[in-house]
Amino acid sequence: MTRSRAAVLVSTVVVAVGVIAGLGALWLDPARAAVGPMPGEALVLPADARFVMGFDVKRFTASPFYARYASERGMKPEALRELEEKTGLDPARDVDQIVVVGTKNAAKGAPGLALALGRFDLYKIGRALETEGKVAGHDVAGVSVYVFKEEDARSVALAFLDETALLFGPRAEVEAAILSRSRGETPFKKNTMLLGLVEKVRPGSTFWMVGDQSLLAGMPTSVPAPGASGDGATISLPALQALTVTGDLDPQVSLNVIGDAKDELAAKNLADVVRGFVALMSLQARQKPELQQLASAFTVATEANRVLVSARIPYEMLDALRPKPVAK
């Protein structure tokens, strides 16, 4: 091959790579890039979310927690339980991660809107849902939507966006997310409060959750004072502006909670309340020695207007705290 032909070939390859890269940039829209631990696909979730939580299913099913307690009633997360019940999917095999948002309707008992990412056989699952008489499918912007309890005002819908993503939740919210996706919109990015909190979450956690002030508005403003008897003494709780929770399950249960208070004084007051309850656990250790270990597992600190609470709980401690089976 002559040098001129080689130069032409190299130039052609460079141009082709550039075209492919350009098309890739259009296909992989930067507006849908991941935000912290939140996958880009989840940005079609609603803007009026009060909280958003993420769950790494693979980490969960590989953890000591799953090995010890998954078979026990109530130990499997609600989102996984419902997904398995409605579709017959095996979450441990088919699902990688789940992101759930809760809007104001969640306070009225409506389920959150969930996005699950994994590997789904659309034909097989669709046929199973329809032939078993569970649901009837209909089309929304080219996506098959299956509605459970269609006559119910709180009907729940399931939609497979493609072979790697599905939506599950209130029908109106599922269909709204599908239409947003078809228009290339990312509604969740409009919620700058929650988006800013998600950006600060460390990727790689087994589970995480962030909530804004509207979620926290329903929390109690006072609690019984530690050690108070029947005199009704209470402690006022400073209001929180935001809440962030992250956790891991291997090699132990690790939990980190960050509460954003109004100012440094409010953060200090709330930290003192938390420390009071931790100290109360230590005082009760005479009756339950395992509480002494549990109290030492918690640390409480403040940083400017934030309260930082962390816990490191070995599984042996959890086993000791569980109710003993009643002898028959």
Side-chain angles (χ1 to χ4, degrees):
M1 181 181 296
T2 65
R3 290 185 178 180
S4 59
R5 288 182 179 178
V8 171
L9 178 59
V10 171
S11 299
T12 301
V13 170
V14 170
V15 171
V17 170
V19 170
I20 293 172
L23 292 174
L26 291 174
W27 182 256
L28 301 173
D29 186 353
R32 290 185 178 175
V35 179
M38 186 173 178
E41 295 91 336
L43 294 176
V44 299
L45 297 175
D48 62 343
R50 303 171 69 203
F51 70 85
V52 56
M53 64 176 67
F55 191 69
D56 189 319
V57 180
K58 291 305 178 188
R59 286 179 179 269
F60 173 68
T61 55
S63 70
F65 185 95
Y66 187 83
R68 287 174 180 246
Y69 312 124
S71 62
E72 297 186 17
R73 186 177 180 181
M75 287 297 182
K76 182 175 290 187
E78 183 71 10
L80 288 184
R81 187 191 64 77
E82 287 201 38
L83 190 61
E84 187 173 8
E85 177 184 303
K86 300 291 186 185
T87 66
L89 287 170
D90 180 355
R93 180 194 65 213
D94 304 320
V95 182
D96 293 332
Q97 59 179 314
I98 293 180
V99 177
V100 182
V101 300
T103 62
K104 60 183 179 181
N105 293 325
K108 303 175 183 178
L113 178 60
L115 172 78
L117 301 178
R119 292 152 303 285
F120 312 118
D121 188 328
L122 308 189
Y123 177 78
K124 180 179 179 181
I125 296 173
R127 286 278 295 174
L129 290 173
E130 294 182 1
T131 56
E132 292 176 12
K134 291 183 177 180
V135 291
H138 67 280
D139 182 273
V140 176
V143 174
S144 294
V145 178
Y146 302 91
V147 182
F148 301 82
K149 298 181 180 179
E150 191 165 5
E151 71 286 351
D152 194 326
R154 293 184 177 180
S155 58
V156 174
L158 174 74
F160 290 90
L161 302 180
D162 53 39
E163 294 180 347
T164 64
L166 68 83
L167 283 170
F168 179 69
R171 177 179 180 178
E173 294 183 12
V174 167
E175 294 183 352
I178 292 171
L179 292 174
S180 293
R181 178 176 179 269
S182 70
R183 295 189 293 261
E185 299 172 349
T186 52
F188 189 80
K189 295 191 76 172
K190 297 178 182 178
N191 192 325
T192 55
M193 173 67 175
L194 288 187
L195 196 69
L197 293 172
V198 172
E199 287 176 339
K200 297 176 182 177
V201 174
R202 175 179 60 84
S205 298
T206 303
F207 58 90
W208 55 269
M209 187 276 289
V210 298
D212 65 10
Q213 191 173 18
S214 63
L215 170 67
L216 301 168
M219 294 181 65
T221 57
S222 63
V223 294
S229 54
D231 57 5
T234 62
I235 295 177
S236 297
L237 296 176
L240 285 175
Q241 310 297 309
L243 184 70
T244 301
V245 180
T246 59
D248 288 297
L249 300 173
D250 192 7
Q252 60 188 346
V253 176
S254 302
L255 189 67
N256 294 286
V257 181
I258 301 175
D260 292 353
K262 181 178 65 173
D263 51 38
E264 290 189 33
L265 180 59
K268 181 180 180 302
N269 291 340
L270 183 56
D272 289 341
V273 172
V274 177
R275 291 190 186 100
F277 281 100
V278 172
L280 181 60
M281 285 192 290
S282 296
L283 291 176
Q284 293 179 341
R286 294 178 182 177
Q287 291 76 30
K288 295 183 178 181
E290 60 270 19
L291 288 179
Q292 179 66 50
Q293 294 178 307
L294 182 61
S296 63
F298 284 83
T299 60
V300 184
T302 59
E303 184 180 275
N305 68 319
R306 302 194 303 168
V307 181
L308 314 175
V309 180
S310 65
R312 302 291 182 268
I313 307 175
Y315 284 100
E316 294 74 17
M317 188 186 303
L318 285 181
D319 290 337
L321 292 169
R322 295 173 65 198
K324 301 296 186 292
V326 179
K328 295 183 179 180

